[in-house]
Amino acid sequence: MAARIPALVNPPLLVWAREEAGYSLETAAERTGFAVEKLHAWETDEAKPTLRQAQALAKYYHRPFGVFFLPQPPSLPPLAAEYRHLPGIQPGVESPELRLAIRVMSQRREIALQLSGEMGTPVTDFSASVRLAERPVDAGRRLRSILGVTSQEQLDWRDEWQAWRRWREAVESAGVLVFQFPKVSLNQVRGVSLLRFPLPAIGINSKETSAGARSFTLLHELAHIALAGGQEEQVAQMETRDETMWKEVERFAEEVASAALVPEENLSGFLTRMSVPQDGWNLALVRKLAGAFRVTPLAMATRLRSSGVLTWEGYRRWKQEWDAYVATLKPRGGGFATPVEKALSRGGQPFAQLVLEALDANRITAVDASRYLDLRFDHVEALRHELRHGLGGRSSVGDDGE
């Protein structure tokens, strides 16, 4: 029987694949269902897995089955040589879910560069730079100018989901790939950016059910990319700041993002009409102002703090009230997304369009296209239709990515 045929795998490749996936022996045993002793025996060549068992390992480790038969492990740069410093994440010991998310982002970025070169499609150069010494409001204004979103357009948006789609489109048009990744806890990361040029990339955690929060994370990560452009940040592997210093960098990026989302000239007009005294902002007032700009109340409170409307003490008091309110909310479902909607949500429209153009030009095969898009080929025509006609008036469905 095929299930009993031993797979003549190279044991060091089993170790390499498991460690690259971020699994200890114990965690791998828990995830795969194979006993620790059995996994250890396979890795030390005391026994051989069957073909089916080896295929199961390849699936759990997210590696091609054939990699187990290589004479030696592939030489790959560490993931921390690509992504920015993430608070609370130690380079090299990322969770398996986060490692997979970053690896997929990196692979898609490389595919986009390769296909653009083969197709002769120019890659937009995102050359914006930001310095920590400048005022966050000035940096935010400059980023917003690059994105080309007007104040009136923003005020005319129907809801936060329309705002999220427009901000994503603007960032992608400026030369940054925007992906969404599933299965990573929000307690780990809400967003991550790959500080590689040209074509840096931003990943948004699709467990975030608030469209306004996704928009803020998107602009927050864009601020980090701009800081890298100004030689103020390096990839996580190269960074030497301590956590206290990083809190200041994170705070700066938050204020840049809030300034880009809420322009100073528009904010001042609303503040004049609302006539609220300093530190007199309660939950209802902040939520009302946030709704006008299609941002989250927390993003608006950050903006009010950076503009001086809220003192630090007033902000902390408001934040405590906000956290208590959020704790009372029930988790929201993400809705049902079709395979095509998931592919577009996770990979982004520019990436999907590039893959389809390469397929039509016979630069890649149908198998390649399906693999790049993580989509069965019988759904590709539906993807074409979606790209031609868009999501129309849909709200959150198809944006979940889970």
Side-chain angles (χ1 to χ4, degrees), residues 90-358:
Q90 182 180 345
V93 291
E94 306 88 354
S95 72
E97 294 79 13
L98 181 57
R99 290 185 67 82
L100 177 61
I102 294 172
R103 196 167 76 225
V104 170
M105 284 178 60
S106 180
Q107 290 171 346
R108 284 177 172 165
R109 176 186 172 275
E110 292 294 336
I111 291 167
L113 285 172
Q114 176 187 343
L115 295 182
S116 295
E118 292 184 4
M119 299 287 293
T121 304
V123 174
T124 302
D125 181 25
F126 182 78
S127 56
S129 62
V130 164
R131 304 301 299 270
L132 290 169
E134 64 183 304
R135 294 197 312 157
V137 67
D138 294 332
R141 182 184 296 113
R142 193 161 65 255
L143 286 184
R144 186 182 179 106
S145 175
I146 291 170
L147 298 180
V149 176
T150 67
S151 297
Q152 190 57 55
E153 177 186 5
Q154 181 177 10
L155 296 176
D156 288 342
W157 286 335
R158 179 179 60 254
D159 54 28
E160 288 186 4
W161 286 104
Q162 185 179 11
W164 152 245
R165 291 197 183 95
R166 181 65 184 96
W167 284 119
R168 180 178 186 175
E169 177 188 29
V171 171
E172 290 172 329
S173 297
V176 179
L177 290 170
V178 180
F179 303 124
Q180 293 193 88
F181 53 85
K183 300 181 180 179
V184 178
S185 168
L186 283 174
N187 293 328
Q188 292 184 57
V189 294
R190 294 183 179 274
V192 63
S193 45
L194 303 185
L195 305 184
R196 300 188 65 187
F197 299 87
L199 213 58
I202 292 173
I204 306 295
N205 194 330
S206 60
K207 284 188 178 294
E208 183 65 79
T209 58
S210 164
R214 294 187 194 190
S215 297
F216 183 83
T217 299
L218 177 66
L219 272 293
H220 178 91
E221 294 301 326
L222 190 67
H224 281 288
I225 290 175
L227 282 168
Q231 305 301 310
E232 296 278 12
E233 277 198 50
Q234 302 181 80
V235 293
Q237 185 186 37
M238 303 294 293
E239 279 292 351
T240 58
R241 293 181 175 98
D242 60 27
E243 287 305 312
T244 299
M245 298 173 69
W246 269 112
K247 285 181 181 178
E248 294 301 317
V249 176
E250 286 295 318
R251 182 180 300 165
F252 178 85
E254 287 176 0
E255 293 185 357
V256 170
S258 65
L261 289 165
V262 184
E264 191 170 31
E265 56 274 17
N266 294 85
L267 177 62
S268 60
F270 275 88
L271 293 178
T272 298
R273 290 192 293 273
M274 295 180 73
S275 188
V276 180
Q278 188 181 51
D279 288 352
W281 293 83
N282 57 27
L283 280 182
L285 289 171
V286 174
R287 291 179 69 185
K288 179 180 178 181
L289 185 57
F293 289 89
R294 309 304 183 199
V295 299
T296 65
L298 186 56
M300 181 56 71
T302 299
R303 184 70 182 91
L304 295 175
R305 183 196 72 202
S306 64
S307 67
V309 174
L310 278 174
T311 64
W312 269 104
E313 181 57 34
Y315 173 79
R316 292 189 185 99
R317 189 164 53 247
W318 182 90
K319 180 69 161 49
Q320 288 177 348
E321 188 179 357
W322 171 251
D323 289 342
Y325 167 73
V326 170
T328 67
L329 301 178
K330 295 181 179 180
R332 293 172 53 194
F336 173 76
T338 68
V340 167
E341 289 167 342
K342 284 185 179 181
L344 279 175
S345 175
R346 295 179 183 180
Q349 180 171 324
F351 180 76
Q353 189 69 55
L354 184 60
V355 171
L356 290 184
E357 290 174 359

